[in-house]
Each structure stands twice: as structure tokens, then as C-alpha cells.
Amino acid sequence: MCDSKSCAHTAVSARRFFLRSSLAATLAVAAGGVLPGNRAVARTASPPKPQNVLDPDAALAQLVAGNERYVSGVSRRHDFTHERPALATGQNPYAAVLGCADSRVVPEYAFDCARGDLFVARVAGNFANDDMLGSLEYAVAVLEVPLILVLGHERCGAVAAAVRAVTQSAEYPGQISSLVSAISPSVEKARALAGDLQETATAQNVRDTVAALSARSSIIRDAAQAGKLRVVGGIYRLGTGRVEFLG
Ligand SMILES: [Zn+2]
């Protein structure tokens, strides 16, 4: 068996593979061995899902096509049983998603994906705290995902809370206040824009998070500058299921 990526890269990949394996081992050791199965180990033979070895543009096109199937009500039937053996030994998702914890916004459904396709990190308000950033860095450095999508959505409760904090000085108990504090700067920016503040703040939060990923992470920035990674933003429409990608 020979998948396209492992064949094409055989001649040039020995050193890269060593470096990647070393990084994977370092990350795994540093994390006390609790990190999910890593792709470098799996790729001693071939990626568990060869069809997921995509360049950034092809990965985005695949997300768009999957969302179109979901919107149109023609999602594929996902029989998980036949993929279990391959995925038991590794993973090579074709995209990472930083999404909201909202129960109505489920990336695997929204993009008609199976297990092993998306590396999803979720937090209410889909912003980049240190833990989200570290998760995405793992996806880029070890799993070599070619695409990161920051996925906001309509009528996000976390954004709404931040809007009320900014416009009405609302206060929140516990660590909810930390979510609000993280999103509030985007709300402040959005106040200068025309349109409904909840809508503009939602988009601004996504744009700010996209920018923050590269600004705060040399792993993400370097991969993007090398053309191995794209970081894009999108808004999920609750009524239709459509994801509008932000330009
Ligand atoms: Zn939300």
C-alpha cells in the first residue's frame, strides 16, 4: 500500500520525519503521555486516512462541500465501524476547528465529517485562550493539519454576554466573567461598525481570533508563512446550517 503523500515525500521526508517524530515524542513526554495518538507515529506505515492528506485550499474546499451536503440534507451515512482499526493507531485530520461549545453548532455534522477528519477544540465564544492555542499548536506541529477554521455562530450566548457587559456594564458570576473579558475587546471594536452589534461583534470576534492565532503562536505563524497552513474564519447560521466564510 502506498498513499500519495508518503510516496511523494519518501525521498525528502527522512529528516523531516525524524524531526516531526522527535517533536511528537517531546510533546507526548511533556504532556505526561496523555496526548491523543499522534500522526507521526501512525505514519511509520501510512496515514490512517490517506484521503485526508490535502493542501490548505483542498482542505477548505472539502469543508465547503461537506457543509453544502449538510445544508441540502444529503449528508453521507457514516458507518464508523470500518474506520476503527485504522484510527486506533493514529490520526490525520484534514482540518482543525476552534468552535463554540454551543450545543447547536456541531462541526462534525456541519461539515458532514466522520471520525478522524476534524480536530475540534471548543470553548464558549470560540476565542483563543492558552489551552485552545496549545491544542491547535498540537494539531499543526504534530498532526500537520493544513487548515484551521475559527467558527463563530449566530446568537452566541457568550458574545451576547460580552455585548451586555460592554453596553450595560453587566456582571457575571464565577469564571463566566473570564469568557466575557476575553470577548469584550472585540465587542468594543464592533461598536464602531454599522449594523446589529451582536452580529458585528460575532464576526469581529472571529476575525480577532484568526489574527490572534498567528500573532501569538510561532508554530501557527511559521506553518502559515511556509504555505502549509491556512487560518480562516466562518459564521454558522443556525436557521440554515450554512457556514459563511469570512473574507
Ligand atoms: Zn456560542
Side-chain angles (χ1 to χ4, degrees), residues 9-197:
H9 290 242
T10 295
V12 297
S13 66
R15 182 168 178 275
R16 285 183 60 217
F17 178 79
F18 172 77
L19 293 172
R20 196 161 51 237
S21 299
S22 299
L23 175 58
T26 300
L27 286 171
V29 169
V34 298
L35 287 173
N38 72 65
R39 180 176 178 174
V41 172
R43 292 182 70 227
T44 53
S46 62
K49 300 186 82 169
Q51 69 274 24
N52 281 1
V53 180
L54 301 169
D55 65 30
D57 290 344
L60 180 58
Q62 190 144 307
L63 282 187
V64 170
N67 182 240
E68 188 59 45
R69 292 194 301 275
Y70 171 71
V71 169
S72 303
V74 293
S75 293
R76 292 170 176 160
R77 176 177 181 273
H78 294 289
D79 176 7
F80 301 112
T81 56
H82 75 284
E83 291 181 339
R84 283 185 187 133
L87 290 173
T89 58
Q91 58 173 323
N92 66 319
Y94 71 83
V97 179
L98 172 52
C100 183
D102 194 296
S103 65
R104 301 166 295 180
V105 185
V106 183
E108 287 86 349
Y109 288 164
F111 298 107
D112 191 22
C113 288
R115 291 173 63 232
D117 289 338
L118 300 181
F119 187 94
V120 181
R122 295 174 69 167
V123 62
N126 46 267
F127 61 93
N129 63 18
D130 289 347
D131 299 318
M132 294 296 111
L133 193 59
S135 297
L136 295 174
E137 286 181 330
Y138 176 85
V140 172
V142 179
L143 305 180
E144 297 184 307
V145 294
L147 181 69
I148 294 175
L149 168 65
V150 178
L151 183 60
H153 68 98
E154 281 184 317
R155 296 191 282 281
C156 177
V159 172
V163 167
R164 285 192 293 272
V166 168
T167 61
Q168 303 170 32
S169 300
E171 296 181 357
Y172 300 94
Q175 292 303 311
I176 297 173
S177 59
S178 69
L179 301 177
V180 169
S181 296
I183 301 168
S184 291
S186 297
V187 177
E188 293 282 9
K189 287 186 193 175
R191 291 181 89 179
L193 305 173
D196 175 77
L197 183 55

